[in-house]
Amino acid sequence: MNVLLTGFEPFGGASVNPSWEAVRLVPGVRAVQVPCVFGEALEHLRAAVLEHDPSVIVCVGQAGGRADMTVERVAVNLNDARIPDNAGQQPIDEPVVRGGPAAYFATLPVKACVAAARAAAVPASVSQSAGTFVCNHLFYGLMHLIATELPGVRGGFVHVPFAPEQTLGRSEPSMPVAMAAAALTAIVTAAVSVADDLRLVGGSLH
Amino acid sequence: MNVLLTGFEPFGGASVNPSWEAVRLVPGVRAVQVPCVFGEALEHLRAAVLEHDPSVIVCVGQAGGRADMTVERVAVNLNDARIPDNAGQQPIDEPVVRGGPAAYFATLPVKACVAAARAAAVPASVSQSAGTFVCNHLFYGLMHLIATELPGVRGGFVHVPFAPEQTLGRSEPSMPVAMAAAALTAIVTAAVSVADDLRLVGGSLH
Amino acid sequence: MNVLLTGFEPFGGASVNPSWEAVRLVPGVRAVQVPCVFGEALEHLRAAVLEHDPSVIVCVGQAGGRADMTVERVAVNLNDARIPDNAGQQPIDEPVVRGGPAAYFATLPVKACVAAARAAAVPASVSQSAGTFVCNHLFYGLMHLIATELPGVRGGFVHVPFAPEQTLGRSEPSMPVAMAAAALTAIVTAAVSVADDLRLVGGSLH
Amino acid sequence: MNVLLTGFEPFGGASVNPSWEAVRLVPGVRAVQVPCVFGEALEHLRAAVLEHDPSVIVCVGQAGGRADMTVERVAVNLNDARIPDNAGQQPIDEPVVRGGPAAYFATLPVKACVAAARAAAVPASVSQSAGTFVCNHLFYGLMHLIATELPGVRGGFVHVPFAPEQTLGRSEPSMPVAMAAAALTAIVTAAVSVADDLRLVGGSLH
């Protein structure tokens, strides 16, 4: 099957983005870098989809401060930027798609993806929120694209922790890029091969 | 205006639930306790709505571990219980309402509610996820009820931290119940009086 | 018995220091504010001791980010400043007292102090480190003064969390000043009345 | 130079201890496993010292929950166990060495060790407390042994985070054992080669 992975360029003053560094290490997939810019990120995604015609699409972003790989479950129709994006835009409480539904669920088998990452010895969990910055923007745009134009395509979003070199003096959680790539490889395999998601505990009390 | 607040009974082995303790201290509102049980919580909510005919409804729950009042923005159509509820039910990956939309946004002015709590000197922020347990279940059920049967009613959900007596030996964040009640009072006032939400920074990077 | 409490002036750009705000609310004690300056803090302490001739001395400081009252157990002979003090000094790896021992233990009954705060319904715990900034500097100086000049005086240090007004937009733990004062009152009572410390679990794995 | 590293056996119900797994990967040193038992740990250390006659000794332990390598600065004369050790002992507020000083500072160049780990691309920082369990017990016992019997020997303690396989379902920070070993290798090199410690910011506010 044809698999497309996207990773982001660096943002917020960083010189590296572990989402892109990890994505480019995953074997057997199309890896595309997208800008950390509202709007433009979606244009790059659409162009890559047209070019590669994938049946599985996983967008990947950095979640600084998280300790494990997180498979996102819900994309919300909301741009609400705490900091400016790489083009200086800072939308507040605007929809990703005017008139779109409030949210989409990922069509990846999220519990099976988490189980696959753990089976590859990488800490992972389900996340109930991808935030309201460009990551969620891309995730929502992907799921809207699938819902409206790409029936049958599986799509979702995965967040990776900081790379160790980003936290050298900060005592924050990190994960080596090679380990994040191993988890992504396992997640892609699950996304391609698992028909029905697993019924595993993985919710959040709040 | 007629305002209905709900708080939860204790759960997870606790002997107190600060959501109910705070709700009952808010002046000038109808305060109703609901069980921490999937399904039953919604039945109690519906009965209270029928009895009191409110124009503003705020459901309140405990978010143990959070440090501030959190005004929830998104209710998702998902029951995914990490622990059993008070009736021993533990649904995994089931919808709250079969056939309902993936999510609803709160119709409270969430940024104005946060600003009102802070103006009352209580730490507060917007939250992008109410989890997947009974709190989110009640929140989604409320918003579905409003969307399908109660046009014009404002509704939303607020999480309160642990009360101090719940954390005596645990070094976890807490907030006195009286302070949570002061924030809820300010939030209710904003919910009643603010026509258009404020345009304030309050999103999440992830 | 004569009890002396000290609290700090604001530092690090803050406009308030909850240690002083809490200390001044404790009834029946001498409350003295000390500057957040290496050296000067100790001079103010010594002057207050000479003036009031206390038999119990508890210095109090702010520990931003901690969630509960922490009774410090160990003062170390080390000034190692992460930020400049209020006079612009930033000592790195210097002793508080040249030739002094590596550390002193508090002579307060620390476990009984923690138990007393909890009995007053305030979350509290033992802390194994008061850091290496002006708080530890004052704590070490106090214990050295007691060891060398004030036989029989009980002394120690307590850290208080941020006040809520310091964390309004930050989602960090806080504690109302009145609650911190109630804990300090209970701690002072224990310090005055408990002959032998309680044998309670309160250590740290690391 | 002759370098001795010690790591601990598993404890607290775990099946692995990353301190031992990392220590055994460091090239060119003597690696010895010690039991997680008050008293016995020190006996094993003394036996290893007699056997290998090292000039640098670094004891290593697990600090579950920490995100980076932490080079400990202060060993305190206190056993205060939150949980039983592997022999079922749970001392409360007892000295490691009756009549010993309240604390010893590590004689490793701690700032240079942290800088060396970071130069090897591994997140690291100075820690002001090794807790009050068997890690601190061993650290204090080591420093007391050096102070009383091994003049000129450099000694200290380093804590390593959980290994990833210990946190698969827990969303807690972790570090691959090979990365911890790379940091230990760099730390040992600094301990052997750096005459005077570096003057770098690395203290704690509290």
Side-chain angles (χ1 to χ4, degrees), chain A residues 63-64 66 73 77-78 80 82-83 92-93 102-103 105 111 128-133 159 199-200 202-206, chain B residues 63-64 66 73 78 80 82-83 92-93 102-103 105 111 128-133 159 199-200 202-206:
Chain A
R66 291 192 190 169
R73 181 136 70 175
N77 192 10
L78 184 66
D80 190 14
R82 180 171 288 279
I83 60 173
I92 304 282
D93 295 346
F105 288 112
K111 298 279 179 79
Q128 325 300 333
S129 172
T132 58
F133 195 53
H159 267 119
R199 201 174 164 281
L200 299 172
S204 298
L205 287 185
H206 56 76
Chain B
R66 291 193 189 168
R73 181 135 69 174
L78 184 66
D80 191 12
R82 181 171 287 278
I83 60 172
I92 304 283
D93 294 347
F105 287 113
K111 298 278 179 78
Q128 325 299 333
S129 171
T132 59
F133 195 52
H159 266 118
R199 202 173 165 283
L200 299 172
S204 297
L205 288 184
H206 56 75

Side-chain angles (χ1 to χ4, degrees), chain B residues 10-180:
Chain B
F11 72 100
S15 61
V16 68
N17 190 314
S19 68
W20 172 242
E21 301 306 321
V23 159
R24 66 197 299 189
L25 295 180
V26 178
V29 304
R30 302 287 181 169
V32 171
Q33 195 189 61
V34 297
C36 188
V37 177
F38 287 100
E40 280 184 36
L42 284 177
E43 290 164 22
H44 279 66
L45 173 65
R46 172 179 286 272
V49 168
L50 287 175
E51 183 180 348
H52 300 301
D53 191 29
S55 51
V56 171
I57 307 170
V58 182
C59 296
V60 184
Q62 167 190 300
R66 291 193 189 168
D68 61 350
M69 299 291 290
T70 41
V71 182
E72 298 293 344
R73 181 135 69 174
V74 188
V76 298
N77 192 11
L78 184 66
N79 297 329
D80 191 12
R82 181 171 287 278
I83 60 172
D85 68 11
N86 281 0
Q89 303 172 98
Q90 190 171 4
I92 304 283
D93 294 347
E94 300 176 0
V96 180
V97 175
R98 205 160 298 277
Y104 288 106
F105 287 113
T107 50
L108 295 180
V110 296
K111 298 278 179 78
C113 289
V114 165
R118 291 180 185 172
V122 184
S125 58
V126 176
S127 167
Q128 325 299 333
S129 171
T132 59
F133 195 52
V134 186
C135 285
N136 172 74
H137 174 83
L138 182 63
F139 181 19
Y140 185 91
L142 165 66
M143 301 315 300
H144 188 69
L145 185 67
I146 289 174
T148 55
E149 304 182 36
L150 302 172
V153 168
R154 275 189 157 177
F157 195 98
V158 177
H159 266 118
V160 304
F162 278 137
E165 59 264 34
Q166 295 177 283
T167 68
L168 290 181
R170 297 217 310 258
S171 300
E172 288 192 83
S174 66
M175 181 181 285
V177 163
M179 179 175 286

